[in-house]
């Protein structure tokens, strides 16, 4: 997990550095959008941030689904344990009776 954090920091710094380079070296590069022209130096970090946001939402949804499945499985285990305990209580130990011996 520590490696993942460092990779995230490194890629964020690279995207930010590249956006700064584009802003300083090529300030005239614009992307046509329905909202008007956007500088490429702003569109690149915006796309990166949108990707981070969507991947974070995906990870959150995945963890919530896993948490729900875990709760369901634990509920099933508890139900099965209750069933086993009920069967243990209901089970009567029968002692085999030998017909030619007296019961003592």
């Amino acid at each position: 997990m520590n490696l993942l954090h460092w990779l995230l920091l490194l890629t964020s710094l690279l995207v930010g550095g590249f956006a700064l380079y584009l802003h300083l070296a090529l300030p005239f590069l614009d992307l046509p959008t329905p909202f008007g022209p956007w500088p490429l130096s702003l569109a690149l970090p915006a796309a990166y941030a949108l990707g981070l946001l969507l991947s974070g939402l995906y990870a959150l949804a995945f963890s919530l689904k896993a948490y729900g499945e875990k709760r369901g499985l634990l509920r099933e285990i508890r139900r099965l344990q209750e069933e086993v305990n009920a069967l243990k209580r209901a089970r009567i130990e029968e002692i085999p009776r030998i017909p030619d011996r007296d019961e003592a």
Side-chain angles (χ1 to χ4, degrees):
M1 199 64 172
N2 208 5
L3 177 65
L4 186 63
H5 291 147
W6 280 107
L7 285 175
L8 179 65
L9 177 67
L10 181 66
T11 55
S12 298
L13 289 175
L14 285 174
V15 168
F18 188 65
L20 183 64
Y21 168 75
L22 283 177
H23 180 70
L24 295 176
L26 306 167
F28 53 86
L29 285 180
D30 287 339
L31 288 177
T33 65
F35 310 110
W38 279 26
L40 186 62
S41 61
L42 292 179
L44 179 68
Y48 180 74
L50 181 64
L52 280 180
L53 178 70
L54 290 178
S55 63
L57 289 175
Y58 178 78
L60 180 65
F62 183 74
S63 64
L64 288 176
K65 181 181 175 187
Y67 181 70
E69 287 183 14
K70 176 187 166 190
R71 285 184 61 201
L73 289 174
L74 287 175
R75 192 176 317 123
E76 181 73 14
I77 288 172
R78 266 189 250 112
R79 186 189 66 79
L80 290 173
Q81 284 176 342
E82 290 291 326
E83 189 177 326
V84 166
N85 289 338
L87 287 173
K88 283 181 183 178
R89 284 189 301 266
R91 184 175 150 199
I92 300 171
E93 293 289 333
E94 293 185 12
I95 301 172
R97 196 169 160 266
I98 301 173
D100 59 345
R101 294 195 184 168
D102 294 330
E103 291 183 19

